Amino acid sequence: MFDLQEELKKLPAKPGVYLMHDKKDAIIYIGKAISLKNRVRQYFQKRKRTPKIDKMISQIDHFEYIITDSEVEALVLENNLIKEHRPKYNTMLKDDKTYPFIKATISEEYPRLIYSRIQKRDKCKYFGPYTSAGAARDTLELVRKLYQIRTCNRVLPRDTGKERPCLNYHIKQCQAPCQGYISPEEYQHNFKQAMKLLEGDVGEVLQMLQEKMERASAELAFEEAAGYRDLMDSVKKISVRQKVNDFGGVDQDIIAMAQTDREAVIQVFFVREGRLIGRDHFHLDGVEDETPGDILQSFVKQFYAGTPFIPKELMLEYEITDAELIGQWLTERRGSKVSLLIPQRGRKERLVELAHKNAELVLSQDVEKIRREEERTTGAMREISDWLGLPEVQRVESYDISNISGFHSVGSMIVFEQGKPKRSDYRKFRIKTVQGADDYASMAEMLGRRFRHGLQEQQKILEGEQEGQTGRFDRFPDLIMMDGGIGQVHVAEAVLRELGINIPVCGMVKDDKHRTRGLFFREQELPIKVNSEGFHLMTRIQDEVHRFAIEYHRSLRSKGQVRSILDEIAGIGEKRRKQLMKCFPSMDAIKEASVEELAAVESMNERAAKSVYQFFHGTENHSE
């Protein structure tokens, strides 16, 4: 039993990370502290707090903490844990973007240019990051064409002459260093020219292409001249993309924001070596009652924990409380000094203001989109909760059984959180104990296995055997939505009752045309509005659970693992199975046929007919 006051007394006065849990053991908030003892105790003292913090504290059931050696270590651990658990009350960066680089393997004798989304501390040089994957690939393709840079992975000169030259050699886009057709010195000269172009020096290459185009035109080689003209156009596009601005040749990120009561947009201008190479925007949620400085700080911590490139300067719109600590952390990541600046006047202040205006524009354009998305997700979940008279429902699970003629039944479990599918928590089941097409028994087996596993994992967590880890089934839903109506609801309720688990179960009831018409809950059918967002969410859940089950079954069939149920009957081989399926319109018709009707089928005899009849009826034929 967690004794809050006793656990507060045990808190150490050391740096670390704390994790707040609710009654369902879900992590609802993660924070860092230079002194865990002082920081965590503040949550439970009587003092003026924001409504958001008050609501969070009311939901805290227990907490845990992890000690670190320094506050910087605590900052890194906090970022990692927030990204993994995505707690409800943390301000969260919704976009998880990575940006591409062009990697130059300068330490090789015949170096290459490679598209990469990871920047490592190795012997390579990196250009970027590019804010557009298309721009990075276009640039890479152009530079390779112009200077005939190899694209293969052969280790040269070790592998020289071992294989024939590739297609690029024959279309004159590589000079085949793999065959020794170009010397290392000449290749390195071309590669250095390619590097100059990537650094933004386009004057020399434009002059070279102009001369080649004019020479080809004078020789009446108009097709060749047109090729040089197209290359010049491509180089000019890159030149525009990397337009030089008066930023002093420094790597900078210019960061500003705009916010509403529930949403914030961060706008970032990327300046590399004095060139404005692009911009991007990011959405954050969970910003209720947060100050602009706190929101900006959350963004800086989460964004720069995930991006491989750290600029020399961050120009911020607002002061952030942990500026010194974050600067120290980013300096360690970059390997050289990183400064966090808040410009007050001049050109830099105007750049921040420009970023702010861009953020406001994005936010104003997205407000309606955000509102619609909220209505169809969390709003729809609230609507379903209201219909059922339940408190807030965040996690829903739904299940389905799929089989062909009762053979090799499979089950699917899907999860929706906050009105959106959470595919990482989807699970598949092979039904093991049920013979034939018994959907109720199959459903009971699947639910029993799912929740027994969950109970076992929860017990291991309590006993410390899965410390700091989550299992496959340990999180239970707030609501189970069964597709199939009354019968499936009763099956689920019976399984939960046997295991001593209290989770509300409702059924999605369909009409004669297989269209959802209402919800069956607590032994009564509740009508629903078919034009409501809650109804649309129900249909999405139904469609998704069917899709997942059928997709799994199809994958098994493609592996030859699923056959007809008739193959399970003694005395029925491939020939008799085909004849039965040919003579009877469906499997149900075979099940309902008498021994005489079965024996009348070509290739069948009375013994085989009795075997089929007894398989489906489980008894001898007494009508004879």
Side-chain angles (χ1 to χ4, degrees):
M1 190 68 180
F2 189 88
D3 187 324
L4 180 61
Q5 295 304 320
E6 285 299 315
E7 294 300 324
L8 287 173
K9 293 176 183 177
K10 297 176 184 176
L11 284 164
K14 294 182 178 180
V17 174
Y18 55 92
L19 300 87
M20 301 297 192
H21 294 254
D22 63 12
K23 291 181 180 179
K24 296 179 181 178
D25 202 36
I27 298 172
I28 60 175
Y29 187 78
I30 296 173
K32 63 156 184 64
I34 191 168
S35 171
L36 287 166
K37 182 175 183 178
N38 295 339
R39 185 71 186 95
V40 176
R41 288 170 68 91
Q42 286 177 358
Y43 285 100
F44 304 99
Q45 295 172 353
K46 291 184 178 180
R47 54 190 299 175
K48 189 176 181 180
R49 294 182 292 249
T50 64
K52 177 183 175 181
I53 297 298
D54 278 335
K55 187 175 180 182
M56 181 195 79
I57 292 171
S58 69
Q59 296 180 21
I60 295 174
D61 179 74
H62 58 283
F63 62 82
E64 59 178 315
Y65 54 88
I66 303 169
I67 297 172
T68 59
D69 288 333
S70 68
E71 195 178 2
V72 172
E73 284 187 16
L75 177 70
V76 174
L77 179 58
E78 177 197 32
N79 277 329
N80 293 338
L81 291 175
I82 288 174
K83 187 173 183 179
E84 178 182 354
H85 297 288
R86 302 192 68 83
K88 177 180 177 180
Y89 287 100
N90 281 92
T91 299
M92 293 301 304
L93 177 61
K94 296 164 78 172
D95 312 83
D96 190 14
K97 302 176 183 178
T98 59
Y99 296 97
F101 294 82
I102 293 178
K103 174 181 176 180
T105 59
I106 54 178
S107 61
E108 296 177 345
E109 190 165 344
Y110 293 93
R112 296 165 294 150
L113 295 172
I114 303 168
Y115 179 91
S116 174
R117 283 199 177 265
I118 301 173
Q119 185 183 30
K120 299 179 180 178
R121 291 186 179 179
D122 51 19
K123 296 180 180 179
C124 300
K125 182 171 182 178
Y126 291 83
F127 296 91
Y130 292 82
T131 55
S132 162
R137 293 188 188 280
D138 290 346
T139 303
L140 185 58
E141 182 181 359
L142 171 65
V143 175
R144 284 172 172 171
K145 280 182 180 179
L146 281 173
Y147 297 104
Q148 300 188 9
I149 305 301
R150 72 184 181 106
T151 61
C152 65
N153 293 322
R154 298 175 188 176
V155 180
L156 303 180
R158 187 194 70 185
D159 295 338
T160 301
K162 289 186 178 180
E163 297 180 39
R164 291 180 296 178
C166 66
L167 178 63
N168 284 346
Y169 169 73
H170 297 289
I171 62 175
K172 297 183 179 180
Q173 289 188 14
C174 181
Q175 293 178 297
C178 59
Q179 305 300 311
Y181 294 168
I182 180 173
S183 68
E185 293 76 19
E186 187 180 354
Y187 186 93
Q188 285 280 358
H189 173 75
N190 292 343
F191 191 78
K192 287 176 182 176
Q193 294 299 109
M195 299 268 282
K196 287 177 68 176
L197 178 56
L198 289 173
E199 290 167 355
D201 185 357
V202 299
E204 188 174 334
V205 69
L206 284 174
Q207 183 179 346
M208 178 264 291
L209 290 172
Q210 180 75 27
E211 291 172 356
K212 288 186 175 183
M213 182 182 70
E214 291 174 354
R215 190 182 312 123
S217 181
E219 295 172 357
L220 304 182
F222 298 117
E223 187 175 341
E224 184 180 349
Y228 289 127
R229 180 202 62 202
D230 294 341
L231 286 174
M232 287 176 66
D233 289 341
S234 297
V235 171
K236 288 174 182 175
K237 287 180 182 178
I238 291 177
S239 175
V240 171
R241 247 184 230 133
Q242 297 192 350
K243 182 180 177 182
V244 175
N245 292 270
D246 184 19
F247 296 135
V250 178
D251 291 336
Q252 298 169 322
D253 282 356
I254 300 157
I255 306 170
M257 62 168 285
Q259 72 178 109
T260 64
D261 292 341
R262 307 181 68 176
E263 179 85 5
V265 168
I266 304 289
Q267 181 79 38
V268 184
F269 288 170
F270 301 101
V271 177
R272 299 294 177 262
E273 296 181 357
R275 297 172 178 85
L276 178 61
I277 66 167
R279 64 180 184 178
D280 209 344
H281 66 270
F282 304 84
H283 290 275
L284 293 97
D285 56 13
V287 301
E288 301 95 319
D289 303 318
E290 298 284 347
T291 66
D294 289 340
I295 296 169
L296 208 58
Q297 177 164 291
S298 295
F299 169 78
V300 169
K301 290 195 296 185
Q302 293 177 51
F303 179 71
Y304 292 102
T307 185
F309 183 84
I310 309 296
K312 185 176 181 180
E313 292 181 357
L314 303 186
M315 293 202 295
L316 308 177
E317 185 178 11
Y318 299 103
E319 292 274 2
I320 60 177
T321 54
D322 287 339
E324 184 177 347
L325 176 66
I326 292 172
Q328 182 183 346
W329 165 56
L330 294 177
T331 295
E332 290 180 5
R333 288 206 61 209
R334 177 181 167 88
S336 61
K337 175 69 174 177
V338 175
S339 301
L340 279 67
L341 310 174
I342 296 85
Q344 301 297 325
R345 63 180 68 86
R347 179 185 55 80
K348 292 183 177 181
E349 192 274 335
R350 290 194 296 273
L351 284 170
V352 171
E353 178 62 24
L354 182 61
H356 174 81
K357 288 179 180 178
N358 276 266
E360 283 186 329
L361 179 62
V362 170
L363 188 59
S364 65
Q365 291 172 341
D366 287 354
V367 162
E368 183 61 24
K369 178 182 174 183
I370 293 164
R371 185 189 62 79
R372 289 197 303 269
E373 178 66 12
E374 185 183 66
E375 284 180 355
R376 71 186 295 273
T377 54
T378 55
M381 284 305 315
R382 284 195 298 270
E383 205 165 21
I384 292 173
S385 303
D386 292 342
W387 291 338
L388 303 177
L390 296 174
E392 185 178 11
V393 173
Q394 294 185 21
R395 181 183 174 98
V396 170
E397 291 183 6
S398 189
Y399 305 85
D400 191 26
I401 299 293
S402 179
N403 60 65
I404 292 183
S405 302
F407 189 83
H408 277 195
S409 294
V410 298
S412 66
M413 162 186 153
I414 68 162
V415 178
F416 272 60
E417 283 192 357
Q418 302 290 343
K420 299 178 184 178
K422 188 179 183 184
R423 293 184 173 85
S424 61
D425 284 7
Y426 285 16
R427 295 293 178 260
K428 304 170 183 175
F429 297 81
R430 293 287 299 271
I431 303 303
K432 301 176 180 179
T433 63
V434 180
Q435 297 295 325
D438 189 337
D439 283 356
Y440 287 167
S442 299
M443 184 64 72
E445 179 192 324
M446 175 169 59
L447 290 170
R449 285 163 56 190
R450 182 263 180 270
F451 286 105
R452 285 191 186 93
H453 280 310
L455 291 171
Q456 291 168 3
E457 289 180 358
Q458 288 177 359
Q459 186 61 34
K460 288 180 180 179
I461 292 171
L462 287 174
E463 294 173 356
E465 295 181 29
Q466 288 184 216
E467 188 174 353
Q469 300 178 11
T470 56
R472 298 176 62 204
F473 298 107
D474 62 293
R475 284 200 62 194
F476 284 0
D478 303 310
L479 175 67
I480 295 173
M481 299 185 75
M482 303 298 296
D483 181 39
I486 300 171
Q488 295 285 24
V489 169
H490 288 162
V491 168
E493 289 175 339
V495 171
L496 295 173
R497 193 162 48 245
E498 180 185 344
L499 296 173
I501 299 171
N502 182 26
I503 299 173
V505 182
C506 71
M508 296 176 279
V509 185
K510 295 190 174 98
D511 59 21
D512 295 337
K513 296 183 179 180
H514 210 66
R515 296 176 303 194
T516 303
R517 72 177 187 223
L519 285 170
F520 180 79
F521 186 59
R522 292 175 180 165
E523 300 305 314
Q524 61 177 325
E525 184 175 325
L526 307 173
I528 57 177
K529 298 177 182 178
V530 296
N531 59 349
S532 65
E533 291 295 345
F535 173 80
H536 295 319
L537 176 58
M538 283 171 50
T539 58
R540 290 198 297 274
I541 291 172
Q542 284 181 306
D543 292 344
E544 180 69 354
V545 74
H546 289 320
R547 179 201 65 78
F548 191 55
I550 292 169
E551 194 176 83
Y552 178 38
H553 204 268
R554 187 181 294 125
S555 72
L556 294 179
R557 292 202 307 273
S558 68
K559 298 174 185 176
Q561 294 176 312
V562 177
R563 305 166 295 161
S564 168
I565 192 172
L566 297 174
D567 291 318
E568 295 290 286
I569 304 174
I572 303 299
E574 182 180 0
K575 184 177 179 181
R576 284 176 172 166
R577 170 170 56 80
K578 288 181 178 179
Q579 288 296 332
L580 285 168
M581 297 300 294
K582 182 179 178 180
C583 293
F584 292 92
S586 66
M587 187 60 64
D588 287 339
I590 296 174
K591 293 177 183 178
E592 295 168 2
S594 65
V595 172
E596 291 80 6
E597 290 171 328
L598 292 167
V601 175
E602 183 183 348
S603 79
M604 291 286 288
N605 55 33
E606 186 176 358
R607 182 176 179 182
K610 285 183 177 180
S611 184
V612 173
Y613 186 90
Q614 290 167 10
F615 179 85
F616 288 117
H617 294 269
T619 181
E620 296 289 338
N621 181 17
H622 297 294
S623 62
E624 291 184 57

